[in-house]
Short mmCIF file of all heavy atoms in Angstrom, two decimals:
data_model
loop_
_atom_site.label_atom_id
_atom_site.label_comp_id
_atom_site.label_asym_id
_atom_site.label_seq_id
_atom_site.Cartn_x
_atom_site.Cartn_y
_atom_site.Cartn_z
N GLN V 45 -8.63 6.17 13.64
CA GLN V 45 -7.46 5.34 14.05
C GLN V 45 -6.18 5.95 13.51
O GLN V 45 -5.66 5.42 12.51
CB GLN V 45 -7.60 3.92 13.64
CG GLN V 45 -8.86 3.24 14.23
CD GLN V 45 -8.87 1.80 13.68
OE1 GLN V 45 -7.95 1.05 14.00
NE2 GLN V 45 -10.00 1.41 13.07
N PRO V 46 -5.67 7.10 14.08
CA PRO V 46 -4.48 7.65 13.51
C PRO V 46 -3.37 6.60 13.54
O PRO V 46 -3.25 5.74 14.42
CB PRO V 46 -4.16 8.75 14.54
CG PRO V 46 -5.50 9.10 15.15
CD PRO V 46 -6.24 7.79 15.23
N GLY V 47 -2.58 6.62 12.46
CA GLY V 47 -1.45 5.65 12.29
C GLY V 47 -1.82 4.44 11.50
O GLY V 47 -1.04 3.68 11.11
N LEU V 48 -3.19 4.33 11.18
CA LEU V 48 -3.70 3.24 10.35
C LEU V 48 -3.79 3.76 8.94
O LEU V 48 -4.42 4.78 8.73
CB LEU V 48 -5.06 2.71 10.85
CG LEU V 48 -5.67 1.60 9.95
CD1 LEU V 48 -4.82 0.29 10.15
CD2 LEU V 48 -7.11 1.29 10.38
N TYR V 49 -3.15 3.11 7.99
CA TYR V 49 -3.13 3.63 6.60
C TYR V 49 -3.66 2.54 5.64
O TYR V 49 -3.44 1.40 5.85
CB TYR V 49 -1.62 3.95 6.24
CG TYR V 49 -1.14 5.20 6.87
CD1 TYR V 49 -0.62 5.17 8.16
CD2 TYR V 49 -1.24 6.42 6.24
CE1 TYR V 49 -0.12 6.26 8.78
CE2 TYR V 49 -0.76 7.60 6.89
CZ TYR V 49 -0.20 7.46 8.14
OH TYR V 49 0.26 8.63 8.80
N VAL V 50 -4.29 3.06 4.64
CA VAL V 50 -4.75 2.22 3.53
C VAL V 50 -4.26 2.94 2.22
O VAL V 50 -4.43 4.16 2.00
CB VAL V 50 -6.23 2.10 3.47
CG1 VAL V 50 -6.69 1.36 2.21
CG2 VAL V 50 -6.73 1.34 4.73
N GLU V 51 -3.60 2.12 1.38
CA GLU V 51 -3.22 2.62 0.04
C GLU V 51 -4.07 1.89 -0.97
O GLU V 51 -4.50 0.74 -0.69
CB GLU V 51 -1.76 2.24 -0.22
CG GLU V 51 -0.78 2.84 0.74
CD GLU V 51 0.62 2.36 0.49
OE1 GLU V 51 0.99 2.15 -0.68
OE2 GLU V 51 1.35 2.15 1.54
N ALA V 52 -4.31 2.44 -2.10
CA ALA V 52 -5.09 1.84 -3.22
C ALA V 52 -4.57 2.25 -4.51
O ALA V 52 -4.06 3.38 -4.73
CB ALA V 52 -6.57 2.19 -3.07
N PHE V 53 -4.69 1.34 -5.49
CA PHE V 53 -4.23 1.62 -6.85
C PHE V 53 -4.82 0.56 -7.76
O PHE V 53 -5.31 -0.52 -7.28
CB PHE V 53 -2.75 1.76 -6.99
CG PHE V 53 -1.97 0.56 -6.41
CD1 PHE V 53 -1.71 -0.52 -7.22
CD2 PHE V 53 -1.59 0.53 -5.08
CE1 PHE V 53 -1.02 -1.64 -6.73
CE2 PHE V 53 -0.89 -0.56 -4.59
CZ PHE V 53 -0.63 -1.62 -5.41
N HIS V 54 -4.72 0.79 -9.07
CA HIS V 54 -5.13 -0.19 -10.06
C HIS V 54 -3.94 -0.76 -10.78
O HIS V 54 -2.92 -0.08 -10.98
CB HIS V 54 -6.00 0.55 -11.17
CG HIS V 54 -7.27 1.02 -10.61
ND1 HIS V 54 -7.61 2.35 -10.49
CD2 HIS V 54 -8.37 0.37 -10.18
CE1 HIS V 54 -8.83 2.52 -10.01
NE2 HIS V 54 -9.32 1.30 -9.77
N VAL V 55 -4.04 -2.01 -11.20
CA VAL V 55 -3.05 -2.68 -12.06
C VAL V 55 -3.88 -3.40 -13.14
O VAL V 55 -5.05 -3.77 -12.96
CB VAL V 55 -2.13 -3.62 -11.33
CG1 VAL V 55 -1.20 -2.89 -10.39
CG2 VAL V 55 -2.87 -4.72 -10.59
N GLU V 56 -3.13 -3.59 -14.28
CA GLU V 56 -3.84 -4.33 -15.37
C GLU V 56 -3.73 -5.85 -15.33
O GLU V 56 -4.59 -6.49 -15.93
CB GLU V 56 -3.26 -3.87 -16.66
CG GLU V 56 -3.58 -2.37 -16.97
CD GLU V 56 -5.10 -2.17 -17.11
OE1 GLU V 56 -5.78 -2.98 -17.63
OE2 GLU V 56 -5.51 -1.07 -16.67
N SER V 57 -2.81 -6.34 -14.55
CA SER V 57 -2.55 -7.84 -14.58
C SER V 57 -2.27 -8.40 -13.23
O SER V 57 -1.76 -7.72 -12.35
CB SER V 57 -1.44 -8.15 -15.57
OG SER V 57 -0.18 -7.78 -15.05
N VAL V 58 -2.45 -9.69 -13.11
CA VAL V 58 -2.10 -10.37 -11.87
C VAL V 58 -0.59 -10.35 -11.70
O VAL V 58 -0.10 -10.24 -10.58
CB VAL V 58 -2.62 -11.81 -11.95
CG1 VAL V 58 -2.10 -12.70 -10.77
CG2 VAL V 58 -4.15 -11.87 -11.94
N GLU V 59 0.16 -10.41 -12.79
CA GLU V 59 1.64 -10.37 -12.72
C GLU V 59 2.07 -9.04 -12.12
O GLU V 59 3.01 -9.09 -11.27
CB GLU V 59 2.20 -10.53 -14.11
CG GLU V 59 1.99 -11.95 -14.67
CD GLU V 59 0.57 -12.18 -15.26
OE1 GLU V 59 -0.08 -11.23 -15.54
OE2 GLU V 59 0.23 -13.37 -15.42
N GLN V 60 1.49 -7.94 -12.52
CA GLN V 60 1.85 -6.64 -11.93
C GLN V 60 1.52 -6.63 -10.41
O GLN V 60 2.35 -6.15 -9.59
CB GLN V 60 1.10 -5.49 -12.61
CG GLN V 60 1.61 -5.14 -14.00
CD GLN V 60 0.76 -4.14 -14.67
OE1 GLN V 60 -0.44 -4.19 -14.54
NE2 GLN V 60 1.35 -3.18 -15.28
N TYR V 61 0.32 -7.11 -10.08
CA TYR V 61 -0.05 -7.17 -8.63
C TYR V 61 0.96 -7.99 -7.86
O TYR V 61 1.40 -7.58 -6.77
CB TYR V 61 -1.50 -7.80 -8.59
CG TYR V 61 -1.81 -8.36 -7.16
CD1 TYR V 61 -1.89 -7.47 -6.07
CD2 TYR V 61 -2.00 -9.65 -6.98
CE1 TYR V 61 -2.18 -7.93 -4.82
CE2 TYR V 61 -2.31 -10.16 -5.75
CZ TYR V 61 -2.41 -9.27 -4.64
OH TYR V 61 -2.67 -9.76 -3.42
N GLU V 62 1.27 -9.16 -8.32
CA GLU V 62 2.15 -10.08 -7.57
C GLU V 62 3.55 -9.42 -7.44
O GLU V 62 4.19 -9.60 -6.41
CB GLU V 62 2.20 -11.43 -8.15
CG GLU V 62 0.85 -12.17 -7.91
CD GLU V 62 0.75 -13.51 -8.60
OE1 GLU V 62 1.66 -13.96 -9.37
OE2 GLU V 62 -0.19 -14.25 -8.31
N ALA V 63 3.99 -8.80 -8.49
CA ALA V 63 5.32 -8.20 -8.42
C ALA V 63 5.33 -7.00 -7.41
O ALA V 63 6.33 -6.87 -6.64
CB ALA V 63 5.76 -7.66 -9.83
N ILE V 64 4.33 -6.19 -7.48
CA ILE V 64 4.24 -5.05 -6.48
C ILE V 64 4.12 -5.54 -5.13
O ILE V 64 4.76 -5.12 -4.14
CB ILE V 64 3.07 -4.15 -6.89
CG1 ILE V 64 3.41 -3.38 -8.18
CG2 ILE V 64 2.77 -3.13 -5.76
CD1 ILE V 64 2.30 -2.63 -8.78
N LYS V 65 3.25 -6.58 -4.88
CA LYS V 65 3.11 -7.17 -3.54
C LYS V 65 4.42 -7.70 -2.99
O LYS V 65 4.82 -7.42 -1.90
CB LYS V 65 2.08 -8.27 -3.62
CG LYS V 65 1.80 -8.96 -2.25
CD LYS V 65 0.73 -9.99 -2.35
CE LYS V 65 0.43 -10.66 -1.03
NZ LYS V 65 -0.64 -11.67 -1.11
N ALA V 66 5.21 -8.46 -3.81
CA ALA V 66 6.43 -9.01 -3.39
C ALA V 66 7.41 -7.87 -3.10
O ALA V 66 8.14 -7.91 -2.06
CB ALA V 66 7.04 -9.85 -4.49
N TRP V 67 7.48 -6.83 -3.93
CA TRP V 67 8.32 -5.72 -3.73
C TRP V 67 8.03 -5.01 -2.39
O TRP V 67 8.94 -4.68 -1.57
CB TRP V 67 8.28 -4.71 -4.85
CG TRP V 67 8.74 -3.31 -4.54
CD1 TRP V 67 10.09 -3.00 -4.30
CD2 TRP V 67 8.05 -2.12 -4.57
NE1 TRP V 67 10.12 -1.63 -4.10
CE2 TRP V 67 8.88 -1.07 -4.25
CE3 TRP V 67 6.68 -1.80 -4.81
CZ2 TRP V 67 8.45 0.22 -4.21
CZ3 TRP V 67 6.30 -0.53 -4.84
CH2 TRP V 67 7.16 0.51 -4.49
N ARG V 68 6.79 -4.78 -2.12
CA ARG V 68 6.39 -4.03 -0.87
C ARG V 68 6.72 -4.89 0.35
O ARG V 68 7.19 -4.31 1.35
CB ARG V 68 4.88 -3.65 -0.90
CG ARG V 68 4.48 -2.61 -1.97
CD ARG V 68 5.16 -1.26 -1.88
NE ARG V 68 4.95 -0.63 -0.59
CZ ARG V 68 3.91 0.15 -0.35
NH1 ARG V 68 2.99 0.35 -1.28
NH2 ARG V 68 3.73 0.74 0.82
N LEU V 69 6.43 -6.19 0.33
CA LEU V 69 6.68 -7.08 1.46
C LEU V 69 8.20 -7.26 1.70
O LEU V 69 8.65 -7.41 2.85
CB LEU V 69 6.08 -8.46 1.22
CG LEU V 69 4.52 -8.37 1.32
CD1 LEU V 69 3.99 -9.74 0.86
CD2 LEU V 69 4.04 -8.14 2.78
N ALA V 70 9.02 -7.02 0.70
CA ALA V 70 10.44 -7.14 0.84
C ALA V 70 11.17 -5.83 1.17
O ALA V 70 12.35 -5.84 1.44
CB ALA V 70 11.05 -7.75 -0.45
N ASP V 71 10.35 -4.73 1.15
CA ASP V 71 11.03 -3.41 1.45
C ASP V 71 11.24 -3.28 2.93
O ASP V 71 10.38 -2.87 3.68
CB ASP V 71 10.08 -2.33 0.95
CG ASP V 71 10.70 -0.97 1.02
OD1 ASP V 71 11.61 -0.73 1.81
OD2 ASP V 71 10.10 -0.02 0.36
N GLN V 72 12.47 -3.58 3.31
CA GLN V 72 12.82 -3.70 4.76
C GLN V 72 12.72 -2.34 5.47
O GLN V 72 12.32 -2.24 6.59
CB GLN V 72 14.16 -4.28 4.95
CG GLN V 72 14.20 -5.79 4.57
CD GLN V 72 15.56 -6.41 4.76
OE1 GLN V 72 16.52 -5.75 5.21
NE2 GLN V 72 15.69 -7.72 4.44
N ASP V 73 13.10 -1.30 4.79
CA ASP V 73 13.03 0.06 5.36
C ASP V 73 11.61 0.47 5.65
O ASP V 73 11.33 0.94 6.70
CB ASP V 73 13.68 1.10 4.44
CG ASP V 73 15.22 0.91 4.38
OD1 ASP V 73 15.84 0.34 5.38
OD2 ASP V 73 15.78 1.35 3.36
N PHE V 74 10.74 0.16 4.68
CA PHE V 74 9.31 0.54 4.77
C PHE V 74 8.71 -0.30 5.94
O PHE V 74 8.00 0.10 6.83
CB PHE V 74 8.55 0.42 3.55
CG PHE V 74 7.18 0.98 3.52
CD1 PHE V 74 7.07 2.34 3.22
CD2 PHE V 74 6.09 0.23 3.84
CE1 PHE V 74 5.78 2.94 3.26
CE2 PHE V 74 4.84 0.83 3.97
CZ PHE V 74 4.68 2.11 3.58
N CYS V 75 8.96 -1.64 5.88
CA CYS V 75 8.35 -2.60 6.81
C CYS V 75 8.78 -2.33 8.31
O CYS V 75 8.07 -2.63 9.20
CB CYS V 75 8.55 -4.00 6.42
SG CYS V 75 7.64 -4.47 4.91
N ALA V 76 10.02 -1.78 8.39
CA ALA V 76 10.46 -1.36 9.73
C ALA V 76 9.62 -0.33 10.45
O ALA V 76 9.61 -0.27 11.67
CB ALA V 76 11.96 -0.90 9.63
N CYS V 77 8.79 0.44 9.69
CA CYS V 77 7.98 1.45 10.19
C CYS V 77 6.60 0.90 10.63
O CYS V 77 5.82 1.60 11.27
CB CYS V 77 7.71 2.55 9.12
SG CYS V 77 9.23 3.36 8.64
N ILE V 78 6.29 -0.33 10.23
CA ILE V 78 5.02 -0.96 10.54
C ILE V 78 5.01 -1.70 11.81
O ILE V 78 5.89 -2.42 12.14
CB ILE V 78 4.65 -1.88 9.34
CG1 ILE V 78 4.53 -1.17 8.07
CG2 ILE V 78 3.33 -2.67 9.63
CD1 ILE V 78 4.38 -1.96 6.87
N ALA V 79 4.04 -1.49 12.59
CA ALA V 79 3.79 -2.22 13.86
C ALA V 79 3.65 -3.68 13.52
O ALA V 79 2.65 -4.07 12.87
CB ALA V 79 2.63 -1.69 14.70
N GLY V 80 4.67 -4.53 13.93
CA GLY V 80 4.56 -5.94 13.59
C GLY V 80 5.38 -6.30 12.31
O GLY V 80 5.42 -7.49 11.93
N GLY V 81 5.94 -5.32 11.58
CA GLY V 81 6.76 -5.56 10.51
C GLY V 81 5.93 -6.05 9.23
O GLY V 81 4.73 -5.92 9.15
N ALA V 82 6.67 -6.69 8.33
CA ALA V 82 6.10 -7.15 7.06
C ALA V 82 4.88 -8.09 7.27
O ALA V 82 3.98 -8.14 6.49
CB ALA V 82 7.17 -7.86 6.17
N ALA V 83 4.89 -8.80 8.35
CA ALA V 83 3.82 -9.74 8.68
C ALA V 83 2.41 -9.05 8.84
O ALA V 83 1.37 -9.58 8.72
CB ALA V 83 4.10 -10.60 9.87
N LYS V 84 2.52 -7.70 9.15
CA LYS V 84 1.34 -6.94 9.34
C LYS V 84 1.04 -5.95 8.23
O LYS V 84 0.20 -5.01 8.32
CB LYS V 84 1.44 -6.15 10.62
CG LYS V 84 1.43 -7.09 11.88
CD LYS V 84 0.13 -7.79 11.98
CE LYS V 84 0.10 -8.67 13.22
NZ LYS V 84 -1.16 -9.35 13.40
N LEU V 85 1.80 -6.16 7.11
CA LEU V 85 1.58 -5.38 5.85
C LEU V 85 0.52 -6.24 5.08
O LEU V 85 0.94 -7.26 4.47
CB LEU V 85 2.82 -5.11 5.10
CG LEU V 85 2.65 -4.38 3.76
CD1 LEU V 85 2.40 -2.91 4.07
CD2 LEU V 85 3.95 -4.50 2.98
N HIS V 86 -0.67 -5.86 5.02
CA HIS V 86 -1.73 -6.65 4.37
C HIS V 86 -1.97 -6.11 2.93
O HIS V 86 -2.23 -4.92 2.73
CB HIS V 86 -3.03 -6.58 5.13
CG HIS V 86 -2.84 -7.05 6.57
ND1 HIS V 86 -2.49 -8.26 6.95
CD2 HIS V 86 -2.87 -6.27 7.73
CE1 HIS V 86 -2.38 -8.34 8.26
NE2 HIS V 86 -2.56 -7.17 8.73
N VAL V 87 -1.88 -7.02 1.94
CA VAL V 87 -2.09 -6.62 0.53
C VAL V 87 -3.10 -7.53 -0.08
O VAL V 87 -2.99 -8.79 -0.02
CB VAL V 87 -0.70 -6.80 -0.21
CG1 VAL V 87 -0.85 -6.35 -1.71
CG2 VAL V 87 0.48 -6.11 0.49
N TRP V 88 -4.18 -6.89 -0.65
CA TRP V 88 -5.22 -7.63 -1.27
C TRP V 88 -5.60 -7.09 -2.66
O TRP V 88 -5.57 -5.87 -2.83
CB TRP V 88 -6.53 -7.50 -0.43
CG TRP V 88 -6.42 -7.99 0.94
CD1 TRP V 88 -6.31 -9.31 1.38
CD2 TRP V 88 -6.41 -7.26 2.20
NE1 TRP V 88 -6.23 -9.36 2.81
CE2 TRP V 88 -6.29 -8.08 3.28
CE3 TRP V 88 -6.47 -5.81 2.38
CZ2 TRP V 88 -6.25 -7.63 4.57
CZ3 TRP V 88 -6.40 -5.44 3.70
CH2 TRP V 88 -6.33 -6.32 4.77
N ALA V 89 -5.93 -7.95 -3.57
CA ALA V 89 -6.36 -7.52 -4.93
C ALA V 89 -7.85 -7.93 -5.02
O ALA V 89 -8.22 -9.03 -4.61
CB ALA V 89 -5.49 -8.09 -6.01
#
Side-chain angles (χ1 to χ4, degrees):
Q45 296 182 60
L48 179 67
Y49 288 84
V50 174
E51 301 174 36
F53 53 90
H54 294 113
V55 293
E56 292 299 322
S57 70
V58 171
E59 292 79 17
Q60 287 174 316
Y61 161 65
E62 290 177 352
I64 290 170
K65 181 177 181 177
W67 163 62
R68 294 300 298 276
L69 289 169
D71 185 341
Q72 294 180 1
D73 291 335
F74 193 87
C75 289
C77 298
I78 298 171
K84 294 297 182 176
L85 179 73
H86 306 291
V87 185
W88 302 287

